[in-house]
Amino acid sequence: MQNQVQTISTHGFNDQKPGTSGLRKKVQVFQQTHYLENFVQSIFDTLEVPLGATLTVGGDGRYYNRHAIQTIIEMAAANGFGHVLVGQAGILSTPAVSHIIRKYHTFGGMILSASHNQGGVHGDFGIKYNISNGGPAPEKITDEVFAKSKVITQYKTVKFAPVDINTLGKTEFETDRGKFTVQVIDAVQDYADLMQTLFDFTAIKKLLASGFKMKFDAMHAVTGPYAQEIFVNRLSAPESSLMNCLPSEDFNGGHPDPNLTYAADLVAIMFSGANAPDFGAASDGDGDRNMILGKNFFVTPSDSLAVLAANATLVPAYASGIAGVARSMPTSGAVDRVAVKLNIPCYETPTGWKFFGNLMDAGKVTLCGEESFGTSSSHVREKDGLWAVLFWLNVLAQKYALDGMASVETMLKAHWLEFGRNVYSRHDYEAIPTDAANAVMQHIKGQFESLPGQKFGHYQVGSCDDFSYHDSIDGSVSKNQGVRILFVDGSRIVFRLSGTGTEGATLRIYLEAYETDSHKQHLDAQIALAEMIKIGLQISQLVALTGCVSPTVIT
Ligand code: G1P
Ligand code: ZN
C-alpha cells in the first residue's frame, strides 16, 4: 500500500532555541501539539536533505523516546530520506550514534536525550541533531533551525503503523515519494567493536583477572547494555563489577549525572576504606559523560584529561602520539601543561562539544575534554564516557604490566609532582530566577574597569573579560561565552550561565588555583580553594542578588 505524504498546518513556537547541546525541555512542553514535529521539520528544512539519504536515530531510553522515534521515522519518510537506522529498543548512546553516522556514512543523526537531566513523565526530554561528521550540529545550523522554528507554517509526515523497534531487521514501506526502509540495528556491537580496535583488551583482561577490582555505575541509563557487553562479555569482569545497568525510562527516579552528588551510591562504595574497589566509574543518561574514581579518591575531569594526554602513548590507538589537545574554556589548565611538555598545540574553546568538531576534522587535535565530566578523542565526534573508562583501564593495565601495581591515586600524585596541580572545583546554583542570575552577571561585568589591579587577600586581579572564541577553521565567532576573572598568579574564577537547564537559570562558578608545593597538593579542593570561593562570592554579590546561600551541586 502506498503511504501518502501529508502536509500538516502548524504555527511557530518562540522557545525552540537549541542550547549548549540540543533542545531540552520538560516532557510536557514536548507533548504540546506539533511541538516536536515543528522542531524536527525546522531541522529538515535547514538541511536540504538529498533524496534517499539515511538518518540514524536513537536515544537514551528515557520517557517519550519511543513516541519521538515513531514521529521522526514518519517525518523522515515524508521529507525525502530513504532509510532510517534505529538502535534496538530505541537505544543508542550519544557516542554510539556518532560512530554509526561515521561508520555507515549516514547523512546525520537524531539523538533523543536530555543527557544528565532527570527523566520520566515529569522530567526532561531533548533532541539533538548531529551532522555527517558524527558531531553536534554547529551554531550556524542550530541558529537557522531556531529561526525557522519561529516562523514555520507546515510540516510533512506519513502515517505508518507503529514500527517494531524491538526486533532487529528491516521493514520496507512504499510512500508516494518512493521506497523507504527502517532498519533496527544492534545498539551495542558496532560501538564495542570500535572500542576493541582502540584499546588493548588483552592487557585490560589481565589486569581485571589479577585481583584488581572495578565498579561501573550506569545510573539506570543508556550505558548499561554497553557495559555488560564490554566489561563482562568481552573483558571477563565479574557481573558484580556493574551496578544499575538496566536502562529505565526515568533512570529509576535518579538524576543520571555522574558526579559526587548524584552518583552517591558509587561514591559511597569507592570511599568505603581499605576494601573499596581499585577503580570506579560512572556514566550519564546518554553515555557521553564519565566520572573516574580510584580507591577513596576522586579524579577531577580536568585532571583526567591531562593524565590521559600525558599517558596516551600507552594506548594502542594513540601509541604514535597525539596531534594536539583541546579543552573548553572553564576546564582547568592542567592539560595545557601536558601539551607544553609534549610540544603539541592546546586549543581553548567555548563550553559545548560542538566547538571541538572542526579542530578534529582538520586533524589539529586528538584528545579533548570539558570540566563537566566529558572526555573523548577523534575516534568519534562526541564525548564518550565508556571510552574514557577504557582509556583509564588501559593505562592502569600498562602500569600494572610494568610495575606490578595499578593505582589511580598514585598516578595522580605522580602527575601533580611533575606538572603541578591545578586545584579545581565548580559550584552550581541551580534553578534560580533568570532575572537574578542575569543581575549577577551584569554586576560582575560592571566591574570590568575597576577590578584589574585590585587585591583580594592573597590574590590580585590581573584582567577580566567575557570570553569570545574565534574558530580558526571556519572563521566563526562565538561571543559571551563566560566571564573570566584572571589573577596574576594564574588562578581564575569563571562565571557562566548554563545552556542546558530547563528550570529558571543555573549559574556556574568555576574556581581554579595552581599549586606547585607538593606538601599542599593533596589538600581537599574545597579547603585549598576556600579563599577563592569567598572572593568569587564577594565580587559577584551572588548571595545578596539571588538569595541563594549555598551551591546546589559542588563538583
Ligand atoms: C553542560 C556542561 C557542558 C556540556 C553540556 C552538555 O552545559 O557545562 O560542558 O558540554 O552540559 O553535556 P551547560 O549547562 O553548562 O551549558
Ligand atoms: Zn550526556
Side-chain angles (χ1 to χ4, degrees):
M1 189 186 73
Q2 272 220 344
N3 295 283
Q4 297 278 319
V5 171
Q6 303 171 19
T7 301
I8 313 281
S9 294
T10 185
H11 62 86
F13 289 90
N14 283 322
D15 64 346
Q16 297 195 329
K17 184 172 170 52
T20 314
S21 179
L23 181 69
R24 286 187 203 175
K25 299 282 173 195
K26 293 273 166 226
V27 166
Q28 276 99 334
V29 174
F30 269 103
Q31 284 172 327
Q32 295 172 83
T33 310
H34 304 323
Y35 192 88
L36 172 67
E37 290 84 348
N38 278 16
F39 189 67
V40 172
Q41 187 65 52
S42 303
I43 294 173
F44 290 158
D45 287 347
T46 302
L47 296 174
E48 295 172 14
V49 181
L51 199 63
T54 303
L55 182 71
T56 304
V57 181
D60 61 8
R62 73 177 59 220
Y63 180 75
Y64 214 52
N65 261 13
R66 285 173 179 268
H67 173 87
I69 288 172
Q70 177 76 19
T71 303
I72 292 167
I73 288 172
E74 292 172 344
M75 291 184 65
N79 280 277
F81 281 94
H83 313 275
V84 169
L85 300 183
V86 192
Q88 191 173 19
I91 293 278
L92 280 178
S93 74
T94 287
V97 169
S98 186
H99 176 52
I100 283 164
I101 293 173
R102 295 165 67 78
K103 179 167 180 180
Y104 298 108
H105 306 290
T106 76
F107 180 71
M110 292 222 183
I111 303 173
L112 307 166
S113 169
S115 186
H116 51 285
N117 295 14
Q118 274 184 298
V121 183
H122 302 291
D124 291 350
F125 185 71
I127 175 165
K128 193 158 84 134
Y129 184 75
N130 280 29
I131 57 175
S132 57
N133 74 352
E139 278 187 336
K140 198 164 77 77
I141 294 182
T142 53
D143 287 349
E144 202 177 324
V145 170
F146 179 44
K148 287 199 161 44
S149 72
K150 288 187 279 195
V151 296
I152 187 168
T153 56
Q154 55 184 49
Y155 67 85
K156 291 195 212 101
T157 188
V158 182
K159 284 289 155 221
F160 293 143
V163 179
D164 172 13
I165 56 171
N166 290 332
T167 313
L168 295 178
K170 220 182 233 182
T171 315
E172 295 201 348
F173 299 91
E174 282 287 339
T175 79
D176 48 1
R177 293 205 69 166
K179 266 202 188 350
F180 176 77
T181 60
V182 177
Q183 188 170 354
V184 179
I185 58 171
D186 186 288
V188 173
Q189 294 305 322
D190 285 315
Y191 176 83
D193 290 349
L194 173 67
M195 293 301 115
Q196 207 155 351
T197 65
L198 302 174
F199 300 108
D200 186 343
F201 272 38
T202 311
I204 300 175
K205 230 173 155 170
K206 267 193 204 147
L207 174 72
L208 294 175
S210 72
F212 178 97
K213 276 194 285 166
M214 71 167 279
K215 196 89 178 169
F216 176 78
D217 185 353
M219 304 191 82
H220 294 285
V222 78
T223 51
Y226 294 84
Q228 183 74 31
E229 173 65 15
I230 293 170
F231 297 121
V232 177
N233 299 355
R234 299 198 185 193
L235 290 167
S236 308
E239 285 279 352
S240 59
S241 312
L242 306 183
M243 60 195 275
N244 303 327
C245 277
L246 206 60
S248 104
E249 286 202 330
D250 68 347
F251 310 111
N252 209 30
H255 202 133
D257 200 359
N259 59 37
L260 294 174
T261 303
Y262 294 126
D265 294 348
L266 173 70
V267 171
I269 294 170
M270 293 306 300
F271 283 82
S272 62
N275 289 327
D278 302 284
F279 179 80
S283 193
D284 73 328
D286 60 330
D288 57 358
R289 293 186 172 198
N290 73 91
M291 173 169 67
I292 302 294
L293 301 162
K295 194 192 273 284
N296 307 300
F297 194 83
F298 166 65
V299 183
T300 70
S302 298
D303 275 347
S304 176
L305 174 64
V307 170
L308 298 188
N311 291 283
T313 51
L314 295 177
V315 171
Y318 314 101
S320 59
I322 51 179
V325 289
R327 63 165 172 85
S328 65
M329 179 275 283
T331 303
S332 95
V335 75
D336 305 36
R337 299 174 191 281
V338 176
V340 170
K341 181 186 169 196
L342 299 178
N343 197 22
I344 54 172
C346 175
Y347 296 84
E348 185 177 39
T349 59
T351 297
W353 210 261
K354 59 190 170 213
F355 295 100
F356 295 134
N358 280 346
L359 294 168
M360 288 193 278
D361 284 351
K364 294 195 180 292
V365 307
T366 311
L367 299 192
C368 40
E370 295 191 274
E371 52 62 45
S372 54
F373 298 83
T375 343
S376 193
S377 84
S378 49
H379 68 289
V380 286
R381 292 292 180 275
E382 283 281 4
K383 55 191 177 225
D384 190 342
L386 285 168
W387 169 91
V389 177
L390 286 165
F391 201 133
W392 267 95
L393 286 172
N394 196 153
V395 170
L396 288 163
Q398 293 302 337
K399 300 271 177 207
Y400 174 73
L402 289 172
D403 315 331
M405 75 168 261
S407 153
V408 173
E409 180 172 354
T410 308
M411 267 181 68
L412 253 294
K413 290 196 168 150
H415 186 93
W416 293 338
L417 210 54
E418 180 176 0
F419 295 98
R421 178 182 177 195
N422 289 68
V423 187
Y424 190 83
S425 183
R426 182 175 111 183
H427 288 201
D428 292 338
Y429 293 79
E430 296 176 323
I432 56 180
T434 306
D435 288 349
N438 289 334
V440 172
M441 297 303 279
Q442 283 315 323
H443 183 71
I444 305 164
K445 287 186 202 172
Q447 300 167 74
F448 273 6
E449 300 273 295
S450 58
L451 279 174
Q454 271 193 54
K455 281 204 175 124
F456 295 87
H458 293 93
Y459 299 93
Q460 183 175 13
V461 178
S463 63
C464 25
D465 65 5
D466 197 343
F467 181 66
S468 73
Y469 176 64
H470 178 253
D471 187 316
S472 57
I473 313 295
D474 68 11
S476 62
V477 176
S478 303
K479 292 187 177 154
N480 305 320
Q481 296 295 324
V483 166
R484 305 190 290 185
I485 299 178
L486 307 166
F487 296 91
V488 285
D489 72 343
S491 305
R492 59 177 195 159
I493 307 178
V494 174
F495 297 86
R496 204 186 136 261
L497 294 180
S498 154
T500 58
T502 57
E503 255 180 76
T506 293
L507 182 71
R508 307 199 193 286
I509 308 183
Y510 309 81
L511 303 131
E512 178 177 356
Y514 183 54
E515 184 57 78
T516 47
D517 182 348
S518 64
H519 300 291
K520 293 190 189 153
Q521 287 174 345
H522 64 281
L523 279 180
D524 179 88
Q526 303 312 313
I527 295 170
L529 293 168
E531 194 176 356
M532 295 276 287
I533 294 168
K534 259 197 221 142
I535 298 169
L537 292 175
Q538 187 185 337
I539 293 176
S540 65
Q541 286 300 302
L542 183 141
V543 178
L545 290 169
T546 66
C548 302
V549 288
S550 56
T552 348
V553 177
I554 294 180
T555 46

